[in-house]
Amino acid sequence: MFHLAACLVLLSKFASGEVFTNSFLVRLHGEPGNEVANQIASRNGFENVGPILKSKSEFHFVHRALPHARSKRSIQHMRKLKVDPLVHQAVQQSGFKRVKRGYKPLKVENLVPDIVMKESQDPSDPYFPFQWYLKNTGQNGGKAKLDLNVEAAWAQGVTGRNITTAIMDDGVDYMHMDLKNNYNAKASYDFSSNDPHPYPRYTDDWFNSHGTRCAGEVAAARDNGVCGVGVAYDSKIAGIRMLDQPYMTDLIEANSMGHEPNLIDIYSASWGPTDDGKTVDGPRNATMRAIVRGVNEGRNGLGNIYVWASGDGGEDDDCNCDGYAASMWTISINSAINDGQNAHYDESCSSTLASTFSNGAKDPNTGVATTDLYGKCTTTHSGTSAAAPEAAGVFALALEANPQLTWRDIQHLTVLTSKRNSLFDAKGRFHWTMNGVGLEFNHLFGFGVLDAGAMVALAKQWKTVPARYHCEAGSVKQVTEIPSSRSILLKIKTNACEGEDTQVSYVEHVQAVITLNATTRGAVELFLTSPMGTRSMILSKRINDNDRRDGFTKWPFMTTHTWGEYPQGTWLLEISFNSQEPNHGFIKEWTLMIHGTRDPPYSSLPVSDPHSKLAIVKKAHQDRLKMK
Amino acid sequence: MTNLFTLLLLGVFSAEGFNGHFKNDRVLTENLLREVVDKMGRDLADAYFDLPDLDSTNQNGRATDVDKDFDAVNPQTGFDYPESNNSPGHSPSLRDQEYLQQSSLWGHQFVQGGAGEGKQLLKPEGSIKNQNQVKTDATLPAYCNPPNPCPVGYTAEDGCLEDFENSAEYSRVYQAAQECMCDAEHMFACPQEPPQHNPNEIEYSPFLNPDKNPYLQGDMLPIAAKKGNNVPKIMALE
């Protein structure tokens, strides 16, 4: 058994060809028995392990001087056996691959076989037992092992060192004993008072505790006897105080998102346009420029990571109407509760990339435990805003594991290592579906819950993905009426800019840029289907949106569901009213934008676990290249 | 480039002068003129959307130009879409021919008029004198400034408070010393009159003059903080 295991490990290192073990099947003349076999073995330098299936003529020999596995036959040793007069036949055993069935995919140990997992001990911080999102032991009715799997990342020696996450919020209590030493003062700023120190403003109801709570989730110190522990407890946090004035301006947003882009690696945001289920809004001019600049030039050219909470608008809102969350340059994060259901306040949309955890279970102790204002601790941090900083912490771990990761690498890693685990839609509306290259997604949770251990392991081996291109794949500009009671179907047949400068062969993001108006905007539903048959709901019904004037004007609806797919072929846009009331409207324009790579994105990455998502997608891409 | 335009325009006008009454030529020149104007319009638009400088972003020998995300922002809708640097007009949101150039006016607006200007007598019998009023966007409302305690490694020379106690009471008293807008949404009681003088020991020392905060300018945006709304306020552990 030991040999077999050793062979399997070594096997993965031989990319091609047969592998030979140090075991030999030896058949003797006649039926001389085990004693004779022992003599034959020892005079030729072998060891007789024993008869095969109690046979008197067939024996298992090993040669201790040979490695467990090698890529060539050991001719000399074979010859030695074959010239022995008592040996009828000798066959060196080749190793082949067997994989355990029902193996839990993406275990860290499988991804990186040679990782020395340090013995891990739970942090001693008093609130750690309440941090079920870090380690779910089933406390308070949760589902055991449904967590961010951070201990597996810490065990690999990765705790977020030298990575800074900025909390764009209402300030940070940087004098908090649990945050003090992980505070990056140089990267911080207070835009609400225009000074370098983003200490929160006092109110009687302690309203401005939000940023402090988010900061603790990312970088609260470990084993210091105060509150709990952060996902990346050796990383730094910066405070950007920008929510605390009676209004918001483009200038504040833009300056916040563009603040010190070479000192700050990750920006975490838990705000956006009003979640009233009828707003359609997004970053304005200056803010959009700041994001793009951050992505292109931040982190000395590798690109800043913008993490966005998908929103608390509940099922009556759609985060694709929130231009921040729906942007390709932000990673939008939704939340699940401690037993795997979606939270009741979750807003869903096809631009969500992955999920983390937040409150929502009946038990009030199932909120997010973290630091609170004025040196205090809390167990009741909540909302998708509590989910985004958890993701920021996981990305901080990935960036420490591999500081050369670009903003796109982080998105690819998120897609490849997020897990379905036991996440499910409590109302049974949205099911897990597989896209055209075998990646499972869910409209509520994106590609699943983040797995810090798996992400760190894969980050260590990562090779930066190839260049990204932007292809305008086609458009329909004919004005078409949307009837009240049936759906209409528009088609774009595209070669995805094949042969042009902007050819895309492997999809990352897809945007459907749409202009339409309707008697009730909130009744319109939009579905985009890829050539490989993946159907994304890019706009769901919003019952509170009674707009009849503005509609959507060149609004980019984004989907991540078609990640890794091949864009050539026919894309379908399905438009309909989901309403009992009579409605009508017109779709005026649909332009399809496809963003992705010309070259297969994972071709230079080693595959350690044949059940991993990486293995599945990579194999799909390879098979396709062979077919061409 | 400019020279070329001048030449073209000259050519157009001279053609018009000589051949004005030949219909074919007129069509031709009109088209030409339209093209020239279009071209100028596009150049204007490009100047407004300053595209990122490609060379300066190409660091670490890492990336080719093409893997960068270029943006242009539609000034009407504010939404984003990428745009290839090779073809600045090649994008899903081509702008209309009419192009509204951004106003060159800068700074705050001070507006006076109506009943807020000059000497006027109000009410039918003219029994009340008007009050002069100047409306301005120079001072948008702001809350009190919180204290700025010194982070680890900072001293009072950096403009922060060394002598500081991390408590709600300290912040409350510190802020009460300021003359600022009371946050009625989050304070349980707002005083009718702002305090006339410092009622306590702590001295308010703004790092910079708060009236000059340049970030407190511009149009308001409807932004909501996403704070969970369904959690009981009671702390479960204490």
Side-chain angles (χ1 to χ4, degrees):
Chain A
M1 197 57 214
F2 167 73
H3 295 301
L4 186 67
C7 290
L8 281 179
V9 169
L10 280 160
L11 262 177
S12 61
K13 295 193 175 165
F14 298 109
S16 65
E18 244 180 318
V19 174
F20 296 95
T21 68
N22 63 349
S23 292
F24 296 77
L25 169 69
V26 180
R27 187 171 297 135
L28 304 178
H29 290 292
E31 295 192 336
N34 202 37
E35 271 306 304
V36 178
N38 281 344
Q39 288 164 19
I40 296 168
S42 69
R43 75 179 171 229
N44 292 308
F46 287 80
E47 192 181 310
N48 178 20
V49 177
I52 288 162
L53 296 171
K54 296 185 178 171
S55 162
K56 286 176 180 157
S57 62
E58 291 181 352
F59 296 89
H60 176 193
F61 286 14
V62 294
H63 198 287
R64 294 295 181 201
L66 281 175
H68 293 311
R70 45 183 280 143
S71 56
K72 284 182 185 166
R73 277 179 205 281
S74 316
I75 311 268
Q76 290 177 336
H77 300 90
M78 286 278 279
R79 189 170 296 145
K80 247 185 166 177
L81 279 177
K82 279 184 173 169
V83 296
D84 193 294
L86 292 179
V87 173
H88 175 64
Q89 201 182 13
V91 182
Q92 187 174 10
Q93 298 295 290
S94 59
F96 40 85
K97 229 170 198 175
R98 284 287 181 270
V99 179
K100 285 187 195 171
R101 296 230 168 96
Y103 221 60
K104 199 176 175 189
L106 271 185
K107 271 186 97 174
V108 180
E109 307 88 86
N110 299 340
L111 272 173
V112 186
D114 50 354
I115 276 180
V116 184
M117 298 282 281
K118 286 188 196 160
E119 239 178 85
S120 62
Q121 216 169 10
D122 282 355
S124 62
D125 303 70
Y127 274 58
F128 184 71
F130 305 109
Q131 292 184 294
W132 57 268
Y133 57 98
L134 299 181
K135 185 172 186 175
N136 199 337
T137 56
Q139 63 266 55
N140 304 109
K143 189 162 174 61
K145 298 209 167 172
L146 180 62
D147 56 39
L148 295 171
N149 197 21
V150 285
E151 285 201 321
W154 298 341
Q156 294 170 61
V158 176
T159 52
R161 274 175 293 265
N162 298 323
I163 306 299
T164 294
T165 302
I167 308 293
M168 299 189 286
D169 213 295
D170 55 16
V172 169
D173 175 6
Y174 53 82
M175 303 306 279
H176 197 294
M177 291 311 288
D178 219 11
L179 299 173
K180 202 172 181 163
N181 295 313
N182 284 343
Y183 175 65
N184 187 341
K186 268 195 190 145
S188 299
Y189 204 80
D190 182 342
F191 289 99
S192 300
S193 309
N194 192 32
D195 63 58
H197 307 294
Y199 190 81
R201 176 179 63 97
Y202 171 84
T203 63
D204 290 340
D205 59 358
W206 292 34
F207 182 69
N208 294 319
S209 55
H210 196 255
T212 304
R213 293 173 166 201
C214 290
E217 294 181 78
V218 178
R222 180 183 170 140
D223 293 339
N224 63 345
V226 184
C227 300
V229 64
V231 171
Y233 54 75
D234 284 329
S235 70
K236 299 266 181 239
I237 38 133
I240 293 183
R241 180 166 171 257
M242 45 79 74
L243 276 185
D244 192 25
Q245 60 282 320
Y247 52 86
M248 178 57 80
T249 67
D250 193 18
L251 192 63
I252 294 178
E253 281 184 24
N255 279 289
S256 302
M257 302 193 61
H259 184 65
E260 295 289 1
N262 291 329
L263 296 181
I264 293 168
D265 300 289
I266 302 162
Y267 295 82
S268 176
S270 304
W271 46 268
T274 323
D275 290 327
D276 53 8
K278 56 184 176 187
T279 302
V280 176
D281 201 357
R284 304 297 169 90
N285 202 333
T287 305
M288 188 52 80
R289 288 175 196 225
I291 300 176
V292 173
R293 185 168 289 254
V295 159
N296 285 333
E297 298 169 33
R299 287 178 61 232
N300 297 310
L302 297 170
N304 293 119
I305 319 297
Y306 293 99
V307 183
W308 225 267
S310 60
D312 287 344
E315 61 178 326
D316 295 337
D317 208 345
D318 186 296
C319 43
N320 250 345
C321 294
D322 168 346
Y324 301 83
S327 166
M328 311 183 284
W329 302 306
T330 61
I331 299 180
S332 110
I333 296 290
N334 209 348
S335 54
I337 69 172
N338 67 340
D339 64 356
Q341 293 181 51
N342 62 305
H344 58 85
Y345 49 77
D346 274 352
E347 230 174 274
S348 54
C349 60
S350 55
S351 55
T352 295
L353 199 63
S355 302
T356 57
F357 298 102
S358 191
N359 73 306
K362 289 209 175 71
D363 187 330
N365 283 331
T366 53
V368 172
T370 177
T371 50
D372 207 351
L373 265 187
Y374 308 124
K376 300 282 196 293
C377 316
T378 180
T379 58
T380 61
H381 189 32
S382 57
T384 47
S385 20
E390 290 170 25
V394 173
F395 299 149
L397 296 174
L399 288 182
E400 188 209 330
N402 183 349
Q404 292 306 309
L405 296 175
T406 66
W407 69 276
R408 285 169 56 226
D409 292 332
I410 287 285
Q411 295 207 11
H412 279 273
L413 279 165
T414 302
V415 170
L416 293 179
T417 61
S418 293
K419 275 181 186 164
R420 173 178 175 169
N421 204 319
S422 45
L423 299 187
F424 67 101
D425 176 10
K427 293 189 175 164
R429 298 153 301 173
F430 302 109
H431 303 286
W432 286 92
T433 315
M434 207 164 262
N435 81 3
V437 289
L439 291 170
E440 269 187 312
F441 68 91
N442 183 302
H443 181 73
L444 292 175
F445 306 111
F447 289 98
V449 63
L450 293 182
D451 180 327
M455 189 181 269
V456 163
L458 194 54
K460 286 186 170 179
Q461 310 182 322
W462 194 257
K463 305 273 189 301
T464 291
V465 287
R468 166 168 158 113
Y469 299 89
H470 311 288
C471 170
E472 187 185 330
S475 60
V476 177
K477 289 188 174 159
Q478 193 185 349
V479 176
T480 312
E481 189 177 356
I482 313 165
S484 190
S485 55
R486 72 189 159 81
S487 58
I488 58 165
L489 219 52
L490 301 183
K491 290 181 187 177
I492 289 179
K493 191 165 193 285
T494 181
N495 64 359
C497 302
E498 191 166 14
E500 293 173 38
D501 290 349
T502 56
Q503 177 183 335
V504 174
S505 307
Y506 302 88
V507 173
E508 288 174 355
H509 308 95
V510 173
Q511 289 174 308
V513 184
I514 287 170
T515 302
L516 66 78
N517 62 14
T519 47
T520 314
R521 182 174 63 187
V524 178
E525 282 192 337
L526 299 172
F527 291 91
L528 182 69
T529 306
S530 75
M532 300 186 80
T534 302
R535 192 162 180 257
S536 306
M537 185 196 248
I538 57 174
L539 175 66
S540 59
K541 178 178 75 164
R542 302 198 305 162
I543 52 169
N544 297 320
D545 181 0
N546 56 6
D547 166 85
R548 52 184 298 121
R549 192 172 52 99
D550 299 339
F552 293 99
T553 308
K554 294 179 189 288
W555 189 259
F557 295 90
M558 197 269 274
T559 178
T560 58
H561 299 341
T562 51
W563 200 276
E565 289 192 355
Y566 324 121
Q568 295 87 354
T570 304
W571 292 77
L572 295 178
L573 179 69
E574 198 181 327
I575 308 132
S576 61
F577 285 108
N578 181 351
S579 163
Q580 302 299 319
E581 313 292 315
N583 274 299
H584 79 100
F586 294 93
I587 173 145
K588 296 174 178 168
E589 187 180 341
W590 166 35
T591 299
L592 185 66
M593 297 294 302
I594 298 171
H595 312 268
T597 60
R598 179 179 301 164
D599 303 317
Y602 314 125
S603 55
S604 53
L605 272 178
V607 172
S608 310
D609 179 354
H611 279 317
S612 66
K613 285 163 128 180
L614 169 62
I616 292 164
V617 182
K618 191 174 166 174
K619 181 156 189 310
H621 289 173
Q622 280 169 342
D623 289 351
R624 175 181 149 89
L625 281 176
K626 276 184 209 151
M627 274 163 57
K628 271 198 164 179
Chain B
M1 203 60 174
T2 325
N3 290 341
L4 187 70
F5 275 152
T6 322
L7 272 175
L8 266 170
L9 282 170
L10 274 176
V12 169
F13 290 136
S14 54
E16 186 74 9
F18 284 112
N19 306 316
H21 39 272
F22 294 110
K23 211 176 179 185
N24 277 356
D25 283 323
R26 176 170 291 162
V27 171
L28 191 125
T29 52
E30 274 176 5
N31 283 344
L32 196 59
L33 195 63
R34 193 168 295 140
E35 259 180 51
V36 170
V37 172
D38 282 359
K39 175 77 181 129
M40 287 169 74
R42 274 206 298 279
D43 280 3
L44 257 177
D46 290 346
Y48 171 60
F49 289 117
D50 53 75
L51 285 163
D53 181 2
L54 301 178
D55 297 326
S56 71
T57 63
N58 197 352
Q59 292 177 357
N60 298 345
R62 180 187 66 86
T64 52
D65 292 345
V66 280
D67 85 339
K68 300 287 187 180
D69 278 68
F70 294 105
D71 78 317
V73 177
N74 183 320
Q76 273 88 49
T77 63
F79 80 75
D80 57 297
Y81 58 89
E83 188 170 79
S84 161
N85 58 311
N86 298 329
S87 51
H90 186 73
S91 69
S93 99
L94 286 172
R95 285 166 289 281
D96 293 329
Q97 290 297 310
E98 290 163 78
Y99 179 71
L100 179 71
Q101 203 178 0
Q102 215 166 32
S103 165
S104 60
L105 295 171
W106 276 91
H108 298 299
Q109 262 187 300
F110 296 88
V111 179
Q112 201 172 19
E117 196 172 30
K119 276 187 184 171
Q120 298 178 41
L121 295 173
L122 308 176
K123 285 200 147 183
E125 58 274 23
S127 57
I128 292 184
K129 273 206 245 173
N130 72 327
Q131 286 189 342
N132 279 352
Q133 268 185 354
V134 179
K135 304 246 164 141
T136 177
D137 60 355
T139 47
L140 285 172
Y143 298 128
C144 306
N145 286 330
N148 289 324
C150 288
V152 176
Y154 280 62
T155 62
E157 282 175 29
D158 301 303
C160 51
L161 292 168
E162 277 181 30
D163 190 15
F164 175 80
E165 178 200 312
N166 194 15
S167 71
E169 183 59 15
Y170 182 96
S171 284
R172 193 186 65 74
V173 173
Y174 180 92
Q175 287 172 200
Q178 298 167 39
E179 277 187 37
C180 54
M181 190 182 119
C182 180
D183 180 1
E185 277 179 63
H186 302 291
M187 296 299 274
F188 298 150
C190 277
Q192 295 301 308
E193 302 261 314
Q196 295 303 305
H197 51 83
N198 290 355
N200 47 60
E201 308 287 297
I202 301 166
E203 199 187 335
Y204 168 57
S205 56
F207 179 78
L208 295 169
N209 186 347
D211 297 340
K212 296 219 173 111
N213 184 351
Y215 300 108
L216 304 184
Q217 296 171 12
D219 298 326
M220 295 193 193
L221 298 179
I223 297 294
K226 293 185 173 163
K227 312 201 178 196
N229 41 5
N230 288 292
V231 171
K233 270 254 156 69
I234 312 123
M235 300 260 286
L237 293 157
E238 258 185 353

